[in-house]
Amino acid sequence: MTSTAPGPDLRADVPPARKRVLLAAPRGYCAGVDRAVIAVEKALEHYGAPVYVRKEIVHNRHVVDTLAARGAVFVDETDQVPEGARVVFSAHGVSPAVKASAAARNLKTIDATCPLVTKVHKEAVRFAADDFDILLIGHEGHEEVEGTQGHAPEHIQVVNSPADADHVEVRDPERVMWISQTTLSVDETMETVRRLRVRFPHLQDPPSDDICYATQNRQVAVKKLAPACDVVITVGSANSSNSVRLVEVALDAGARSSYRVDKAAEIDPAWLEGATTVGVTSGASVPEILVSDVLAFLAGHGFADVEEVRTATEDLMFSLPRELRADLKAAGEPTGRPRPDGRRRLDVQPV
């Protein structure tokens, strides 16, 4: 019988792995969100409080709470707005029925629908007029999907997932087209389209991409950094479709684990145990201040080295809603907008 004495610890002289953060770019506010938030801010400055907002102006709790503190009043439906008052429609868009309801109550409206969502509305109206069956790929019950479906309810059916594609029924397989919610996973959407096309070879594509540039850019950036990450943290609210998709995209792209938080206080330090590389990104409705707070939290846990992983540069801007622009112009107030990188941050700090 032989025994072997413990040998030297070969790891003793090996320096510990460098802890780092890979910070996705682009991240955070897209042009449509920036436009909608500024619209509410300027409405409050110009008209004074209260300014009513139907639904959440964007899907981010911090943004909604901050605007509410300034005098915005968020309601679920227009019948909760006092007759004759002013109401802002959210970036997710509304159906013609909602606009008719507002008109019936003599509400002064500001339509902050993202122009890329409006584009999808116009596609739905155009193809419905040509008597196509329209397959709307998206999440049933999401505000954007409800608004789009409301533009052609007799022609649109919602397809929630690739699996749902196997159960779709249409009137004429040769007159079918698909459109989509703007904030979906690109890969999952294309898989849904592939399965639809197996059943309907004459399926027509939308004239241009419906998934918005910002959603695609944020997913591409996460795919780039995820394979090198032990953990990916996405900053965004639970009802933010594009934020939830980023969590899934990170896992699919090779991250060992992936989490979503509204704010830094929700990060569980246990997620960081044994990690050397943490990826950070944020959904398209997230102000940068929340990302900064997450980076400060990570620095306090040894992840002070931050490297940006940039896959695109965004400079698209949308003008303010026409109703608001007209009133600002009539009052001699500026109707221009600060560049996205230069706009002031929301002044309520995360807790």
Side-chain angles (χ1 to χ4, degrees), residues 259-311:
Y259 303 95
R260 180 204 55 79
V261 298
D262 258 303
K263 53 191 176 183
E266 296 178 0
I267 298 174
D268 185 345
W271 300 345
L272 308 177
E273 292 178 3
T276 58
T277 301
V278 177
V280 174
T281 188
S282 60
S285 53
V286 177
E288 186 67 6
I289 192 171
L290 297 181
V291 177
S292 297
D293 200 49
V294 165
L295 295 178
F297 178 95
L298 293 173
H301 287 75
F303 294 84
D305 189 353
V306 180
E307 303 172 23
E308 187 174 73
V309 177
R310 176 170 294 279
T311 55

Side-chain angles (χ1 to χ4, degrees), residues 217-258:
N217 285 347
R218 280 146 192 73
Q219 291 178 18
V220 169
V222 166
K223 287 179 181 180
K224 179 75 173 178
L225 62 81
C229 293
D230 301 297
V231 185
V232 172
I233 296 173
T234 296
V235 187
S237 293
N239 62 342
S240 167
S241 176
N242 74 90
S243 297
V244 173
R245 299 291 82 72
L246 288 173
V247 178
E248 299 166 351
V249 167
L251 283 175
D252 291 343
R256 292 171 180 79
S257 59
S258 183

Side-chain angles (χ1 to χ4, degrees), residues 92-97 117 120-121 124-125 128 134-136 138-160 179 181:
H92 308 103
V94 298
S95 68
V117 174
V120 179
H121 292 175
V125 171
I134 301 169
L135 307 180
L136 171 55
H139 301 298
E140 191 136 26
H142 189 281
E143 291 155 38
E144 182 186 328
V145 169
E146 290 179 345
T148 299
Q149 193 169 22
H151 280 76
E154 302 301 319
H155 290 80
I156 292 178
Q157 56 181 304
V158 178
V159 183
N160 280 281
I179 58 178
Q181 183 180 333

